[in-house]
């Protein structure tokens, strides 16, 4: 039971990270590799707000989301928009976002130094309670709740709102969307902002969950985030959620039943197997669009 | 044509200047090693006319700057203390290696020219690259903070006053076993880091020697921060203690999450855990963590009490292990100089080999046949937010 919960909490953070990742990918067909840098930056900014600014964690988290959104706008404007219309925009965007992510990390290094940083010990409640024989902290429950609310909220936004419809129209065909009177640039920018805000919240929650924030924390999770969106089906939001949980549980049970050194091997082995059996991912549809 | 001439003239001038520099340096070296550092008398009554030159290489800037700063203070305090004595004066020169092996090499090269002995450098990594320079020049080196194995194997002029992991860990296991009655433990270590892996090897050997059963061995990566799955697994084995070889970056989340999962057993850590950050960042979760060290501020002994008081007076703060080892370093050198009553390089080297049962702030201190330090380690446990001696 404890391991099941461990996997669930870990998986929900993977999912939150991956949903931001997959949003940009699904709608704009761009892979934003500055996303891990936003993840790390948000954790450091969150710590700064709480430790130095003296804010409550519940005030700091929305602020972190705002910071993430601003970073998303910067990423879109600097790394992606200048490349619009170029025939190699996919690949060029990939590289320019890696570059921009590297610059973000360099700025963090300049501002905070190389040391690991943490939220102050008293920043959040540390009580634990027992649930079906397993120990759970209040913080973990809060993290799970925040993750679920954000994921459901985002799915609703994409499925039901005017903005969501515009996003889907852009995803289908940007040129046709323009003809329909949709401001493609604005929708694109909003998508990046939303995506990065989610990544930022994920980063701050992750740092809280493990009591540690490092400059490289984004790159450590980046590969797993990519695995999650592939398992889930590229661009599928429910897929990213399920994919995150699957990866989290796979890791935890690999430790339990096979051995701790085999954790990544099992997790990525599973991914490989899934790609062989179902190349489009769990929730993905076969892509007919020419890339 | 004109250009060629100029070039030739320039090269000639440069060659002249270089030759002059080389000659000058050689001359200085000769002067310092020319025999005037041999004194008269012996031991406490030894008198040397000229000041004995000592060069220290510590990391005053860069990643290890906080350690280097402590070492600088320890050295300055020791120099003050020695200046109160009679017969010998020391000309202490402290240089910065910037936590960088390349700068370490440069500083060593300049110090070997006119110093009798070199102290440092701060990091083992820098030591491996810069100490061979002193070895080649026949200048003795006393390492004051390096814990990696193989430091003194670099040559017969290399000594050290800091205990290695291989010395501290067996004592830690022994004391912990006695204190907690350990019978069975779970071992965890990061298997992608040379330092923690060698710490793991020493732990396993020590546990085996002490007859403690290892129920399970769990590995993690040095970049890992979520240990819940591993810790749940460890908890399921019901060990008397967790034995962990990891760096401080992993230690803090690991300890926090262990307590959160209800693991209340002692957690025995390697030298990576010996960091005040453990208490400041893990808070209450750090209580009950056991770690061995070369020195603890609460250690008893007249010399240590005086050291603490002097340090507090001069620097308005508390010394740490690095300051204590640096302070001891200069005291050991003083003893080595007095042994033959000479500040000459080879005489100091010979003097260092004779250090035995010297009373220092680290305890009763000897240098063994491998030129490594030997003294009792202090096994500490975190109690009420600070390291307290367990033995």
């Amino acid at each position: 039971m404890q391991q099941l919960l461990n996997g669930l909490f870990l998986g929900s953070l993977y999912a939150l990270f991956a949903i931001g990742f997959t949003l940009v990918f699904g709608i704009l067909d761009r892979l934003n590799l500055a996303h891990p840098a936003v993840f790390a930056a948000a954790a450091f900014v969150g710590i700064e707000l709480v430790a130095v600014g003296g804010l409550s964690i519940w005030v700091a988290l929305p602020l972190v989301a705002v910071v993430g959104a601003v970073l998303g706008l910067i990423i879109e404007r600097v790394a992606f928009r200048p490349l619009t219309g170029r025939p190699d925009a996919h690949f060029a965007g990939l590289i320019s976002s890696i570059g921009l992510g590297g610059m973000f990390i360099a700025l963090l290094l300049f501002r905070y130094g190389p040391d690991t940083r943490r939220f102050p010990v008293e920043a959040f409640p540390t009580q634990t309670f027992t649930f079906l024989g397993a120990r759970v902290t209040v913080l973990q429950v809060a993290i799970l709740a925040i993750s679920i609310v954000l994921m459901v909220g985002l799915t609703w936004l994409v499925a039901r709102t005017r903005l969501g419809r515009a996003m889907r129209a852009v995803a289908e065909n940007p040129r046709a969307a323009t003809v329909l009177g949709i401001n493609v640039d604005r929708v694109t920018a909003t998508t990046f902002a939303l995506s990065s805000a989610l990544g930022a919240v994920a980063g701050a929650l992750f740092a809280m969950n493990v009591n540690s924030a490092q400059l490289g924390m984004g790159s450590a999770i980046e590969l797993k985030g990519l695995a999650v969106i592939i398992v889930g089906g590229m661009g599928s939001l429910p897929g990213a959620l399920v994919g995150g949980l699957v990866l989290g549980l796979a890791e935890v049970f690999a430790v339990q039943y096979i051995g701790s050194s085999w954790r990544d091997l099992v997790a990525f082995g599973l991914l490989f197997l899934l790609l062989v059996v179902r190349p489009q991912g769990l929730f993905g549809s076969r892509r007919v669009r020419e890339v | 044509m004109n250009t060629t001439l100029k070039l030739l003239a320039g090269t000639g001038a440069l060659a002249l200047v270089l030759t002059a520099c080389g000659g000058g340096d050689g001359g200085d070296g000769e002067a310092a090693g020319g025999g005037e550092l041999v004194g008269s008398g012996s031991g406490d009554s030894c008198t040397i006319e000229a000041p004995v030159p000592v060069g220290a290489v510590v990391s005053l800037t860069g990643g290890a700057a906080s350690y280097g700063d402590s070492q600088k203070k320890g050295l300055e305090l020791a120099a003050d203390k020695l200046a109160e004595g009679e017969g010998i004066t020391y000309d202490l020169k402290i240089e910065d290696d910037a936590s960088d092996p390349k700068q370490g090499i440069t500083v060593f090269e300049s110090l070997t020219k006119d110093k009798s002995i070199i102290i440092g450098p701060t990091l083992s990594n820098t030591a491996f690259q810069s100490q061979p320079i002193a070895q080649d020049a026949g200048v003795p080196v006393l390492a004051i903070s390096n814990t990696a194995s193989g430091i003194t194997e670099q040559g017969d002029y290399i000594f050290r006053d800091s205990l290695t992991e291989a010395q501290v860990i067996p004592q830690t296991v022994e004391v912990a076993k006695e204190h907690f009655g350990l019978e069975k433990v779970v071992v965890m270590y990061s298997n992608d880091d040379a330092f923690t892996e060698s710490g793991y090897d020493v732990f396993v050997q020590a546990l085996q020697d002490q007859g403690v059963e290892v129920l399970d061995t769990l590995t993690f990566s040095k970049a890992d921060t979520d240990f819940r799955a591993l810790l749940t697994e460890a908890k399921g084995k019901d060990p008397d203690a967790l034995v962990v070889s990891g760096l401080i970056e992993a230690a803090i989340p690991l300890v926090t999450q262990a307590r959160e999962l209800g693991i209340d057993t002692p957690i025995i850590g390697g030298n990576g855990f010996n960091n005040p950050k453990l208490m400041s960042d893990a808070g209450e979760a750090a209580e009950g963590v056991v770690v061995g060290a070369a020195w603890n501020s609460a250690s008893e002994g007249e010399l240590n009490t005086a050291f603490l008081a002097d340090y507090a007076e001069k620097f308005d703060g508390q010394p740490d292990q690095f300051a204590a080892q640096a302070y001891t370093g200069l005291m050991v050198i003083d003893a080595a100089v007095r042994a033959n009553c000479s500040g000459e390089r080879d005489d100091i080297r010979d003097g260092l080999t004779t250090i035995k049962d010297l009373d220092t702030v680290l305890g009763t201190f000897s240098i063994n046949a491998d030129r490594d330090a030997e003294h009792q380690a202090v096994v500490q446990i975190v109690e009420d937010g600070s390291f307290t001696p367990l033995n």
Side-chain angles (χ1 to χ4, degrees), chain B residues 293-334:
Chain B
W295 177 84
N296 180 287
S297 65
S299 299
E300 285 159 13
E302 211 174 302
L303 278 176
N304 199 41
T305 319
F307 168 62
L308 290 172
D310 292 348
Y311 192 97
E313 193 187 344
K314 186 169 165 74
F315 301 110
D316 194 23
Q318 283 283 313
D320 58 11
Q321 180 179 314
F322 290 91
Q325 286 175 329
Y327 182 88
T328 306
L330 213 52
M331 295 299 169
V332 167
I333 289 172
D334 182 54

Side-chain angles (χ1 to χ4, degrees), chain B residues 93-321:
Chain B
K93 186 178 179 190
I94 299 176
E95 297 277 357
D96 178 21
D97 67 23
S99 313
D100 175 15
K102 291 196 288 294
Q103 181 151 341
I105 290 170
T106 314
V107 176
F108 260 70
E109 273 170 350
S110 79
L111 288 181
T112 45
K113 293 203 176 82
D114 59 352
K115 295 296 165 192
S116 284
I117 178 163
I118 299 175
I119 293 176
T122 303
L123 300 175
S124 297
N125 193 24
T126 310
F128 280 119
Q129 305 214 30
S130 51
Q131 283 172 347
I133 292 160
Q135 172 70 29
D136 290 347
V139 177
V141 177
L142 180 67
I144 51 172
S145 57
N146 308 148
T147 55
S149 57
I151 292 284
T152 53
E153 285 164 24
Q154 293 197 94
D156 57 351
Y157 279 83
I158 316 293
F159 296 79
R160 102 170 114 190
D161 84 345
S162 43
L163 290 180
T164 62
E165 284 257 278
Q167 292 171 303
V168 175
I169 286 174
Q171 296 186 46
T172 312
V173 171
E174 190 182 342
V175 172
K177 188 197 168 191
E178 196 178 312
H179 197 271
F180 299 108
L182 301 184
E183 286 173 5
K184 49 197 194 336
V185 296
V186 168
V187 179
M188 299 172 74
Y189 75 105
S190 61
N191 61 354
D192 57 350
D193 178 81
F195 171 72
T196 54
E197 176 137 34
S198 85
Y200 160 76
D201 292 337
V202 180
F203 262 125
V204 167
Q205 187 62 46
L207 289 166
Q208 195 186 332
D209 293 346
Q210 299 284 326
V212 179
E213 185 192 353
V214 176
L215 297 169
D216 201 358
T217 303
L218 303 170
T219 58
F220 53 91
S221 145
K222 68 178 165 193
D224 274 357
T225 44
D226 191 322
F227 301 99
R228 291 190 175 84
L230 291 176
L231 289 165
T232 304
E233 181 72 4
K235 192 188 176 193
K237 308 275 179 189
D238 192 28
D240 296 334
L242 292 183
V243 172
V244 185
S245 178
L247 299 172
I248 189 71
E249 281 75 23
I252 291 165
L254 191 145
V255 166
T256 318
Q257 291 163 29
R259 298 306 187 218
E260 203 180 280
L261 287 165
I263 298 175
D264 298 323
T265 58
I267 297 174
I268 302 168
N271 199 34
F273 280 57
N274 188 12
N275 190 320
K277 268 187 168 181
L278 186 69
M279 284 83 84
S280 61
D281 290 1
E284 258 181 48
E287 297 287 305
V289 170
V290 176
V291 54
W295 177 84
N296 180 287
S297 65
S299 299
E300 285 159 13
E302 211 174 302
L303 278 176
N304 199 41
T305 319
F307 168 62
L308 290 172
D310 292 348
Y311 192 97
E313 193 187 344
K314 186 169 165 74
F315 301 110
D316 194 23
Q318 283 283 313
D320 58 11
Q321 180 179 314

Side-chain angles (χ1 to χ4, degrees), chain A residues 129-155:
Chain A
F129 58 90
T130 312
F131 175 74
L132 296 177
R135 288 172 74 104
V136 179
T137 61
V138 175
L139 176 71
Q140 285 177 311
V141 176
I143 288 172
L144 192 63
I146 294 171
S147 302
I148 290 173
V149 166
L150 286 178
M151 285 182 237
V152 172
L154 185 67
T155 314

